[in-house]
Amino acid sequence: MYHTFAVMKPAQIFHQYIWIINTLGAYRKLTLEELNKKWMDDGVADGNPLQRVSFYRHRDAIQDMFGIIIECDPKTYKYYISNKEVLSDDSIERWLFSTLTVHGVLADSAAVKERLVLENAPAGEQYLDIIIRAIRTNHRLRMGYKKFEAEGYEKVVCPYALKLFHQRWYLLALNDEEQMRIYALDRMTMVELTDEPFEMPADFSAQDYFSEYYGVLTDKTPMAHVIVRAHKWMPNYLRTLPLHPSQCELESTPDYTDFSYDIRPTSDFLGELLRHSDGIEVLQPQDLREKMRQMIAETLKRY
């Protein structure tokens, strides 16, 4: 069985990881015998059973890769996921699990590919490998960069974090002027790993750095307690896809629902509110409501 595992393609191994996670998630608790029966019924490994040693190896890999802990109840000998909450946050493990799950579903759906309509893949992904290597080893990056309608230039930066936002990858980096800057990977013209290391602050957290912002615009816009009123279809839209982790539902009526956000209302956040047209109305603070009104008025002048 070990030889079979060793020669399996990565996609096959990931498929087995995802199957175990989804099955334990659906049935909550299963003995190894019950899990193996479902494994065989679903033909996960071309009719080969799930051996105990293979399951233990998969369980360890699942914890290392996704942070998902599979434990055994000593009274019933049933296995279960003890920290399901890990798949409900914005962690890289959650994103990776979601990506691999979708990959497996699409791979099994080749026969109906003409009936699947997908969005374009994130731009700039060709630089991900070298940037992640620089982040992992704390080495500076030399990159060529060209903003829209501007002259290109080269720069050496300390890579701190990567963020995926609206189908684009962005690099958060410290430049030579000791300033934190955001660089879009699709505007990079070249990327090289240098031999020069840098010291990463021990207390830095990418999640904390972006926590007060909507997207990747991280200017010094003051914090605000924003209250919006969602009309028509928007309340359910916001409930299922919150705009920001700080979103709270304040009051709901048959006609509207009010939500609050503790956020820095940068232009990308305001743009997201405007994108929902008459479905969202900013109530507070008053200066932000006035700014939204001015933005709408300026837009109307173009029509």
Side-chain angles (χ1 to χ4, degrees), residues 219-278:
D219 56 42
K220 295 304 180 182
T221 301
M223 284 289 292
H225 183 66
V226 179
I227 298 178
V228 304
R229 178 158 291 173
H231 301 272
K232 301 179 179 179
W233 68 91
M234 281 305 300
N236 286 331
Y237 182 94
L238 293 177
R239 290 182 184 115
T240 55
L241 195 63
L243 293 181
H244 188 260
S246 66
Q247 177 176 298
C248 289
E249 186 169 330
L250 303 178
E251 179 185 2
S252 185
T253 74
D255 298 320
Y256 62 82
T257 301
D258 291 346
F259 295 90
S260 70
Y261 303 89
D262 292 303
I263 193 172
R264 296 183 186 272
T266 50
S267 58
D268 54 354
F269 177 65
L270 302 188
E272 179 65 15
L273 297 181
L274 286 172
R275 187 173 73 87
H276 296 290
S277 184
D278 60 344

